[in-house]
Structure formats: C-alpha cells, structure tokens
C-alpha cells in the first residue's frame, strides 16, 4: 500500500477541523492486521485495541460501520468490541442499516452498487461475502451523502479516488487511509506514539519494495507536517 | 430427473461442431487429442485453474466449471478444474467445458431452468465424447480391427482389451468408451450392461491389469487422482506483472501465489525483513506476550 506525500487530502484536512464528522470504516480498519508471513508477528486483538481501536474511538466520536461490514467481523473479540461500542450510552459507533433507506434511496443505492460491483469480487446475484462490505458501505455512503470512507485496501481506495475515471458514482466520497489517521493520532497525541510508529512500519514500511516507495517514519511525519502545516497552525 | 435423449438433429449438430472445432485446431481424422486438451485450452486463451476440491460423498464436488468475466471491455474466460477426480475424467470435463465455451452456454451467469440445463449438459457430454473420439473414427477403428461393425459376437475379454487400447490412445474414461460403443450400436444392450458394471478403477481387477499390460504409464496416469494445484505459466506471469505494475500489493501477490503453492522468492522476489526491524518487532510483540504471561 502506497503512502502519498505529494498532495494533501482535503478529507483529512476537514477531519482535523471537525473530528466529529461521520467517518465510515471498512472492515480492515477493525480487524487486527496479519503480515506474519513477512514479519513473523501478527497483531493480536488486545494489542490492536490498545494501539489502534481505542485511540480512534477516542479521537472520533462519530465512527460508523455498515451492517455488511459488521457481518464480516468474524473474530468474536472484534464483534464484542463493536457490540460494546454500539450498546454504550451514548452509542460510540453508528451502524448503517440498509433498511433505513427510503424506496427512492434504495433505487439509487442499487444503481451505485451496479456500477461498483464489477470492479470488485462481489457479485450481487450470488451475494457472496468477498468485497460485500465495501460495496454496501460505499453505496450507502454515496446515497446518504456522507463524506468519508476509511479503508486499508487498495481496491476500495481506488474505487473512491478513481471515481471519475471509473464512473463509480462515488465522486463526492473521500477516502481516508490508515496512515492518515495514524498521523492524526500522532499529532494530537492520542495513543502511544511508539506503538503508532510500529503500526506504520508494520503496515507501510516493512518489505524491501515498501521501503523503496514509502518514506520511513521520520520522513513520513515531516512530509505530512509539510502537507498539513496550514490546518495544524489553524488548530 | 428424466433421462435426456438427444434427437438426430441435435446429434448431427454436435458432430458437426466437434468436427469443425477439431479441424480448426488441426486434429484431422484419427488424431487423438488426449493430453493436447491442455494446450488447446491455453491456445484458446482460456485461463485454467486447477484445484482439488474434495467432496463429502463418493463423487467429487464438481468436475469443472466455465466462468466468464469482463475486464476493461475484454472478456476473460476461466475454467476451474477439480483435480480431486481421476485424470481421464478431468480430460473429459475439460472437453465438456469446451462445449460451453464454443456455444456460450453453461456459465454460472446463465440461469437456465433445470430441464433446459439438463439438455445443455447432455449436449456438452456428447460433444466431449465426440471431440475426444469422433463417432466416425470409432466406427472406422471397429471396422478395421474386427472387419465388421458389430461386436456382439466378440467375447468380453477381447472387448476389454479393445477398450483398454482405445482408452490409452484416446484418453476417454472407460465408461464413456463403453457408452460410445453402444451409441454406434457395436455392442448389444446386455454387453453394455455387463461392461458398464466392471469396476474399471480397480487396478488389481481384470480391466485394471489389462490396461497396465497395454500401456502401464498412460493407464496409471489416466486412473490417478492428480490433486494438482495449478495455473498455467502464462497466467502465473499475469500475477507477477500485476505485482510489478503495482496493480496488486506484496501481500496480495504472496497470497495469490500461495494459492498455487508458489512463493514470491521462486520468482526472484524476497520479502525479507531487516534485522533492525525484526529486533524492534521482537521487543514490541514480546512485551505483549510477557505481559500476558
């Protein structure tokens, strides 16, 4: 997964200003990453919760997931965590439900799904699990005119970033990447800084190829600082 | 489910299709296709995915499946071949899928009603038999060997030897050959019943021993459950190019190759982690296990 330090993400700028906006998460933001075939180690749930989940739920009061993403959370520990967030008072996570869509919205959702699914492994006729969460989430977000989809999957991100070129109908959606929120947490001093650095290294700067095209932690932070200096100053 | 019987018109259509396609591929007259079925599929630009999918019962979960997909306006065709099946049945299943390919039928996207589906499947089976061993060629072989078109007076032993030789040359499953002989009316109903009841997979049985005596290498190959996991070298190359062109990342690259029991380092890509990073991970992840203990 590439880290882009060439231009700032207006979505992240806006989140810096208003962290209480609804940010819809893809499943891979909630599932502990496992690159043990490269790194020997994988994040277990308690570690991932400390390093990532607790800090993002602390930083952003309106995180959301689509019900199809909830169905993808096969790890009982992750499901339990989300259940706890959902059942909190007030609820700490919003669950987007397709039932809440009006008839007109359902028609619009279907037309967007129709455009997205050929670019994924999801096949509506089969209603298979692969990429179901991201297709359903993105279509819902677009229909409800929500702005942000946070994902750590290059295909999901491309569906948003290449919306015009691929005519996915997601032109108004903005992708938020994991490294952008790692930076956000780091700058706002939420979570453990060393742990965030390790998470960045684990996700973006691990293999020789990643080291070729992605900056190491120090360069990453200074590069992001340059991109977001204005919004940081305003804050 | 009622047995589907193809009428003479349908049979002639299938014979013609098989004849035309064989000729187009350069298989004229008494030229067996046999193992060349794999080259044919590659040359037709069909992506072959071989994977053993065991079933719970005696029969394999499925034999093969043809799938169409479209990418950037270009049609991609895949055949998924279940290699948890005997090799001769794999060859037959591939020829069966070629019928669907040539006639654009049978993809999972087509939602045919059962009856219609059964008819299409019956045609595909007949095509497979015809494609691998044309009826006219079989008739000619029978006539040349026995100097007559009927084998009704030929003793069973001789028939078994004949079928074993046909099988080792034309690579059809034993039962398909028995069926073919019945279709050309070379054998009687009772011969058909008797031959069909033979346990052809028992290598210690009469037919098994005959087959091995005729061509041990080929016969054992046809009776093997290969359980191959594979993708043609051309398609493996597509996976590598996708990685090199940054269409897929290293994790997807590794995972995809892993499906076919291959690793990135076999293709010169080593994803080694530096000692410095490993030391850091050791400390970071070890903390957690220390805390847990």
């Amino acid at each position: 997964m590439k880290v882009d330090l060439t231009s700032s993400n207006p979505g992240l700028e806006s989140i810096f200003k208003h962290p209480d906006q609804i940010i819809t998460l893809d499943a891979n933001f909630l599932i502990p990453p496992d690159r043990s075939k490269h790194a020997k180690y994988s994040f277990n749930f308690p570690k991932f919760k400390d390093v990532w989940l607790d800090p993002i739920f602390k930083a952003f009061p309106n995180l959301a997931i689509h019900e199809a993403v909830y169905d993808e959370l096969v790890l009982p520990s992750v499901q339990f965590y989300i259940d706890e967030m959902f059942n909190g008072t007030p609820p700490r996570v919003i669950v987007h439900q397709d039932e809440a869509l009006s008839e007109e919205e359902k028609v619009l959702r279907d037309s967007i799904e129709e455009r997205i699914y050929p670019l994924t492994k999801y096949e509506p006729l089969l209603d298979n699990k692969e990429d179901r969460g991201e297709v359903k989430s993105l279509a819902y977000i677009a229909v409800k005119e929500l702005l942000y989809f946070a994902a750590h999957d290059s295909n999901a991100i491309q569906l948003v970033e290449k919306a015009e070129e691929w005519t996915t109908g997601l032109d108004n959606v903005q992708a938020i990447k994991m490294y952008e929120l790692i930076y956000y947490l780091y700058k706002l001093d939420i979570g453990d800084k060393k742990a965030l650095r390790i998470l960045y290294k684990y996700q973006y700067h691990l293999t020789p190829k990643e080291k070729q095209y992605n900056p190491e932690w120090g360069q990453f932070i200074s590069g992001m600082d340059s991109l977001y200096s204005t919004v940081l100053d305003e804050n | 489910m009622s047995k589907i019987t193809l009428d003479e018109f349908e049979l002639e259509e299938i014979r013609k299709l098989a004849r035309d396609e064989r000729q187009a591929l350069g298989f004229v007259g008494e030229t067996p296709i046999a193992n060349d079925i794999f080259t044919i599929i590659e040359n037709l630009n069909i992506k072959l995915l071989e994977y053993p999918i065991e079933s719970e019962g005696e029969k394999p979960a499925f034999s093969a499946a043809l799938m169409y997909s479209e990418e950037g306006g270009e049609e991609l065709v895949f055949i998924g071949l279940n290699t948890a099946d005997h090799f001769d049945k794999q060859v037959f299943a591939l020829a069966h899928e070629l019928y669907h390919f040539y006639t654009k039928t049978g993809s999972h996207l087509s939602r045919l009603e059962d009856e219609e589906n059964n008819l299409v499947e019956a045609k595909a089976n007949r095509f497979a038999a015809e494609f691998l061993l044309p009826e006219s060629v079989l008739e000619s072989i029978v006539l040349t060997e026995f100097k007559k078109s009927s084998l009704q007076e030929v003793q069973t032993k001789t028939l078994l030897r004949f079928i074993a030789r046909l099988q080792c040359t034309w690579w059809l499953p034993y039962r398909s050959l028995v069926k073919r002989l019945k279709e050309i009316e070379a054998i009687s109903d009772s011969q058909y019943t008797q031959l069909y009841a033979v346990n052809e997979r028992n290598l210690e049985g009469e037919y098994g021993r005959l087959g091995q005596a005729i061509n041990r290498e080929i016969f054992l190959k046809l009776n093997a459950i290969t359980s191959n996991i594979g993708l043609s070298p051309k398609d493996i190359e597509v996976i590598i190019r996708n990685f090199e062109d940054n269409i897929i990342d290293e994790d997807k690259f590794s995972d995809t190759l892993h499906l076919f029991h291959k690793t990135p380092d076999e293709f010169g890509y080593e994803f080694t982690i530096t000692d410095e990073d490993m030391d850091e991970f050791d400390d970071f992840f070890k903390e957690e296990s220390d805390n847990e203990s």
Side-chain angles (χ1 to χ4, degrees):
Chain A
M1 185 81 67
K2 276 196 173 178
V3 172
D4 179 14
L5 290 181
T6 57
S7 57
S8 62
N9 177 354
L12 182 61
E13 284 175 351
S14 175
I15 285 169
F16 264 114
K17 290 179 195 164
H18 305 288
D20 56 347
Q21 297 177 86
I22 294 177
I23 304 170
T24 305
L25 307 177
D26 195 7
N28 43 45
F29 258 52
L30 302 169
I31 298 167
D34 181 1
R35 303 188 75 195
S36 53
K37 60 180 170 292
H38 302 312
K40 194 167 95 182
Y41 296 101
S42 61
F43 278 80
N44 62 18
F45 181 74
K47 193 83 173 170
F48 189 58
K49 176 179 170 294
D50 287 349
V51 174
W52 177 249
L53 292 177
D54 284 347
I56 58 169
F57 276 93
K58 186 177 172 195
F60 307 108
N62 285 313
L63 292 179
I65 58 168
H66 188 275
E67 56 186 337
V69 164
Y70 180 83
D71 295 340
E72 281 180 16
L73 305 176
V74 286
L75 273 181
S77 46
V78 182
Q79 261 190 359
F80 182 72
Y81 184 83
I82 294 298
D83 287 345
E84 268 197 336
M85 291 288 151
F86 183 67
N87 294 322
T89 320
R92 294 284 295 109
V93 69
I94 301 161
V95 178
H96 298 320
Q97 288 176 319
D98 278 356
E99 263 187 22
L101 297 173
S102 67
E103 287 309 308
E104 292 76 17
E105 286 175 329
K106 280 180 184 161
V107 172
L108 184 57
R109 176 207 55 193
D110 291 348
S111 83
I112 294 173
E113 277 189 14
E114 195 71 18
R115 279 185 264 176
I116 303 173
Y117 88 81
L119 303 162
T120 70
K121 292 180 205 150
Y122 180 63
E123 164 59 56
L125 276 174
L126 303 174
D127 198 24
N128 54 321
K129 284 180 183 169
E130 280 183 303
D131 292 343
R132 185 173 184 271
E134 69 185 50
V135 171
K136 298 279 176 193
S137 299
L138 284 165
Y140 185 97
I141 293 170
V143 168
K144 286 289 186 186
E145 296 182 343
L146 298 171
L147 290 177
Y148 307 114
F149 184 58
H152 185 68
D153 175 288
S154 51
N155 196 45
I157 292 169
Q158 285 193 84
L159 288 173
V160 174
E161 294 189 334
K162 295 189 174 171
E164 207 179 313
E165 187 186 334
W166 292 357
T167 57
T168 56
L170 301 171
D171 303 62
N172 295 324
V173 180
Q174 296 182 44
I176 305 291
K177 290 103 159 184
M178 185 177 246
Y179 69 84
E180 292 173 330
L181 293 192
I182 291 176
Y183 174 72
Y184 181 96
L185 297 175
Y186 178 82
K187 288 312 282 186
L188 271 76
D189 211 4
I190 302 170
D192 183 287
K193 288 195 166 177
K194 182 191 163 199
L196 290 172
R197 180 172 61 79
I198 297 279
L199 180 62
Y200 172 84
K201 188 188 281 264
Y202 192 83
Q203 295 285 66
Y204 296 102
H205 200 254
L206 188 64
T207 65
K209 193 157 173 146
E210 284 171 350
K211 283 175 193 283
Q212 271 173 22
Y213 58 66
N214 283 341
E216 53 81 27
W217 177 252
Q219 291 167 333
F220 165 67
I221 293 297
S222 61
M224 291 291 276
D225 282 346
S226 308
L227 290 177
Y228 297 96
S229 59
T230 316
V231 72
L232 287 170
D233 290 345
E234 283 173 17
N235 266 19
Chain B
M1 189 170 63
S2 58
K3 194 174 179 292
I4 302 283
T5 312
L6 302 175
D7 62 32
E8 197 42 48
F9 177 73
E10 288 165 333
L11 288 173
E12 188 45 37
E13 264 190 340
I14 291 165
R15 281 192 284 261
K16 184 178 181 323
L17 177 66
R19 188 169 57 239
D20 291 350
E21 296 303 342
R22 279 177 62 87
Q23 270 176 10
L25 293 162
F27 292 90
V28 184
E30 294 196 16
T31 317
I33 285 178
N35 200 40
D36 285 339
I37 191 96
F38 291 91
T39 316
I40 289 170
I41 281 168
E42 186 157 355
N43 289 345
L44 289 170
N45 213 13
I46 298 172
K47 295 173 191 328
L48 179 65
L49 307 168
E50 295 173 89
Y51 216 86
I53 298 174
E54 301 287 349
S55 67
E56 286 172 11
E58 267 183 24
K59 284 189 172 179
F62 73 103
S63 297
L66 181 79
M67 287 155 282
Y68 298 99
S69 170
E70 208 178 288
E71 185 87 34
E74 190 191 338
E75 190 181 61
L76 298 174
V77 188
F78 298 87
I79 289 180
L81 177 65
N82 188 359
T83 54
D85 206 348
H86 294 100
F87 187 66
D88 52 7
K89 290 185 81 177
Q90 292 179 36
V91 170
F92 191 86
L94 290 175
H96 173 111
E97 295 308 324
L98 280 182
Y99 175 80
H100 293 308
F101 172 76
Y102 287 130
T103 56
K104 298 276 182 211
T105 56
S107 151
H108 75 282
L109 291 174
S110 62
R111 297 270 184 264
L112 299 174
E113 294 303 316
D114 265 0
E115 186 110 346
E116 195 181 345
N117 203 17
N118 290 339
L119 176 66
V120 173
E121 293 308 305
K123 285 180 175 179
N125 280 337
R126 185 61 183 245
F127 172 84
E130 190 68 25
F131 188 69
L132 294 171
L133 173 54
E135 195 175 276
S136 57
V137 173
L138 182 60
E139 283 168 343
S140 153
I141 293 172
V142 169
L143 204 57
T144 311
E145 287 246 348
F146 297 94
K147 311 296 175 210
K148 54 186 175 184
S149 59
S150 170
L151 306 177
Q152 295 193 10
E153 282 165 23
V154 175
Q155 57 173 311
T156 308
K157 243 185 197 353
T158 313
L159 279 177
L160 286 174
R161 278 201 314 277
F162 178 58
I163 296 171
R165 275 188 291 120
L166 284 177
Q167 193 184 9
C168 290
T169 307
W170 296 88
W171 291 32
L172 260 89
Y174 168 85
R175 289 184 181 199
S176 302
L177 286 165
V178 173
K179 222 169 156 185
R180 293 247 77 189
L181 289 171
K182 178 72 186 69
E183 278 160 7
I184 61 164
E185 293 175 353
I187 56 172
S188 65
D189 286 347
S190 62
Q191 281 175 308
Y192 172 77
T193 308
Q194 191 190 3
L195 290 170
Y196 211 80
V198 166
N199 179 1
E200 84 276 24
R201 299 293 175 196
N202 178 8
L203 296 176
E204 301 303 318
E206 186 181 10
Y207 184 73
R209 282 184 282 119
L210 274 175
Q212 290 179 77
I214 285 162
N215 190 331
R216 185 177 162 77
E217 191 190 339
I218 298 289
F219 192 78
L220 291 180
K221 186 185 173 89
L222 295 175
N223 280 285
I225 291 175
T226 59
S227 293
N228 267 5
I229 294 177
L231 193 60
S232 72
K234 210 161 85 180
D235 297 319
I236 290 279
E237 181 61 23
V238 172
I239 298 171
I240 301 169
R241 293 275 176 90
N242 281 345
F243 167 64
E244 288 173 341
D245 295 343
N246 292 319
I247 294 168
I248 56 170
D249 61 24
E250 283 161 307
D251 291 358
K252 268 204 181 119
F253 180 49
S254 290
D255 291 346
T256 313
L257 288 181
H258 182 72
L259 275 176
F260 303 102
H261 290 201
K262 300 198 182 299
T263 58
D265 59 339
E266 288 174 59
F267 300 97
Y269 287 101
E270 285 183 39
F271 299 153
T272 48
I273 307 303
T274 64
D275 291 344
E276 195 188 334
D277 286 349
M278 272 320 298
D279 289 344
E280 202 165 15
F281 288 146
D282 281 339
D283 289 343
F284 181 76
F285 288 99
K286 210 161 157 272
E287 250 174 51
E288 148 203 316
S289 39
D290 289 349
N291 291 342
E292 280 171 5
S293 57

